[in-house]
């Protein structure tokens, strides 16, 4: 079982693209609601602000699950570990709870970055390690290369995109998935089915989408600057979608709506 399904960590608060007072206010609101898992990355440029905001919450360090990610520009042997140390300093922590490779290495040779990730774990810079945006075959390769358990592959995951290949690879490799773009950056709200299903449960369309992801065995990352939405995104554990409704939503994956592609990230892999 992934670390993200312990305690309340299956609901992680994402910080991209927040900065400044907006980030601090959002983190404070999330902490007040009950979020204890927080997600940032080197490429977001907000690790220091996230660390300061988390310190201001007054929450005990042992109650938090802090995830950050190493950017591809730091995948060299010379830059990797120093960049992780810089991230920890910015976050005001001695150890990342989860350290991810933000992307597969551009060009496809993932071994070096994975070996550096293992070193970060071995040196105590990260309690857990994982990957992000990996294809199914890359998940298999990573499992062979890395000795420490890989606790997640964080990927785009929502009901408008079929990710059955990755789900099968997660079962095969034991590397669970975590979602980003969990409501497809609002695209799900263009489809009435989610609101219609939600009405039967007294829940919003967004809550239905997030619950569907969780029932697929995938943890969620959500971000909002509105306290009402921050709370609603967290309050998705008090209902269960029926198998019929799960199947109805499953049909929507035929939409094939993908946000993160090479048009957005030129070095993205050929996704499954």
């Amino acid at each position: 079982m992934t670390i993200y399904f312990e305690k309340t960590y299956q609901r992680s608060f994402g910080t991209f693209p927040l900065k400044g007072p907006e980030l601090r206010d959002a983190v404070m609101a999330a902490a007040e609601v009950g979020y204890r898992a927080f997600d940032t990355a080197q490429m977001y440029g907000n690790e220091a602000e996230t660390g300061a905001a988390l310190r201001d919450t007054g929450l005990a360090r042992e109650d938090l699950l802090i995830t950050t990610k190493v950017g591809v520009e730091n995948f060299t042997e010379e830059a990797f570990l120093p960049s992780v140390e810089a991230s920890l300093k910015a976050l005001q922590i001695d150890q990342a709870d989860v350290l991810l490779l933000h992307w597969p290495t551009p060009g496809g040779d993932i071994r070096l970055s994975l070996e550096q990730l293992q070193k970060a774990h071995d040196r105590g810079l990260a309690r857990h390690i994982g990957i992000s945006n990996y294809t199914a075959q890359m998940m298999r390769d990573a499992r062979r290369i890395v000795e420490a358990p890989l606790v997640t592959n964080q990927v785009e995951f929502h009901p408008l995109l079929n990710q059955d290949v990755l789900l099968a690879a997660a079962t095969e490799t034991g590397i669970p998935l975590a979602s980003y773009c969990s409501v497809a950056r609002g695209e799900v709200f263009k489809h009435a089915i989610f609101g219609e299903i939600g009405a039967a449960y007294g829940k919003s369309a967004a809550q239905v989408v997030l619950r569907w992801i969780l029932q697929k065995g995938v943890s969620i990352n959500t971000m909002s600057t509105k306290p009402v939405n921050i709370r609603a995104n967290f309050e998705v554990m008090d209902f269960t979608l029926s198998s019929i409704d799960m199947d109805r939503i499953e049909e929507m994956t035929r939409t094939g709506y993908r946000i993160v592609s090479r048009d957005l990230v030129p070095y993205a892999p050929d996704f499954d």
Side-chain angles (χ1 to χ4, degrees):
M1 181 64 72
T2 173
I3 183 69
Y4 289 105
F5 272 85
E6 295 182 9
K7 300 181 180 179
T8 64
Y9 302 152
Q10 71 280 91
R11 294 156 289 170
S12 181
F13 189 78
T15 61
F16 179 79
L18 303 179
K19 293 183 179 180
E22 189 175 50
L23 183 150
R24 183 184 183 280
D25 290 347
V27 168
M28 295 293 284
E32 183 176 354
V33 165
Y35 286 91
R36 296 296 180 266
F38 293 86
D39 181 278
T40 183
Q42 292 175 352
M43 72 173 293
Y44 298 170
N46 66 9
E47 286 177 311
E49 292 170 305
T50 298
L54 289 174
R55 181 65 63 89
D56 287 348
T57 66
L59 294 171
R61 175 68 185 93
E62 58 267 24
D63 292 335
L64 295 171
L65 186 82
I66 301 173
T67 297
T68 194
K69 313 176 196 74
V70 180
V72 296
E73 69 278 6
N74 291 318
F75 280 4
T76 65
E77 190 169 0
E78 296 76 19
F80 195 98
L81 294 178
S83 82
V84 175
E85 291 170 344
S87 290
L88 299 183
K89 182 178 180 180
L91 286 163
Q92 303 179 48
I93 56 178
D94 296 325
Q95 182 184 58
D97 295 300
V98 185
L99 182 70
L100 307 182
L101 300 177
H102 206 151
W103 287 91
T105 306
D109 185 1
I110 61 176
R111 177 173 290 276
L112 176 61
S113 58
L114 286 166
E115 289 175 344
Q116 293 300 307
L117 185 66
Q118 177 72 58
K119 285 183 181 180
H121 178 267
D122 292 346
R123 295 189 184 184
L125 300 178
R127 186 159 61 98
H128 302 284
I129 55 175
I131 51 182
S132 185
N133 295 300
Y134 270 44
T135 66
Q137 185 56 53
M138 288 174 176
M139 291 171 71
R140 299 184 191 100
D141 293 340
R143 182 61 279 164
R144 289 192 293 267
I145 293 169
V146 178
E147 295 179 4
L150 294 167
V151 299
T152 197
N153 180 18
Q154 189 182 109
V155 298
E156 180 176 346
F157 197 102
H158 51 73
L160 303 182
L161 179 65
N162 188 305
Q163 292 286 35
D164 285 349
V165 172
L166 286 184
L167 284 170
T171 299
E172 176 188 345
T173 62
I175 304 173
L177 301 183
S179 75
Y180 66 77
C181 294
S182 302
V183 295
R185 294 186 179 172
E187 187 70 16
V188 297
F189 304 130
K190 298 179 181 179
H191 300 269
I193 183 174
F194 303 112
E196 292 170 359
I197 290 174
Y201 296 88
K203 294 292 182 178
S204 70
Q207 288 172 317
V208 166
V209 169
L210 298 177
R211 185 65 204 176
W212 178 83
I213 295 172
L214 289 171
Q215 287 182 221
K216 296 284 284 186
V218 178
S219 59
I220 55 177
N221 284 281
T222 58
M223 187 284 295
S224 179
T225 58
K226 299 178 180 179
V228 64
N229 290 341
I230 291 172
R231 178 174 294 277
N233 290 342
F234 191 76
E235 294 179 344
V236 293
M237 304 301 289
D238 58 351
F239 74 110
T240 301
L241 294 169
S242 70
S243 59
I244 293 174
D245 287 332
M246 288 291 291
D247 289 344
R248 290 177 65 195
I249 296 171
E250 189 75 32
E251 290 293 315
M252 296 301 296
T253 64
R254 296 180 181 181
T255 306
Y257 181 80
R258 183 182 288 278
I259 296 168
V260 179
S261 66
R262 282 186 174 164
D263 292 336
L264 185 65
V265 182
Y267 48 81
D270 291 327
F271 288 119
D272 297 298

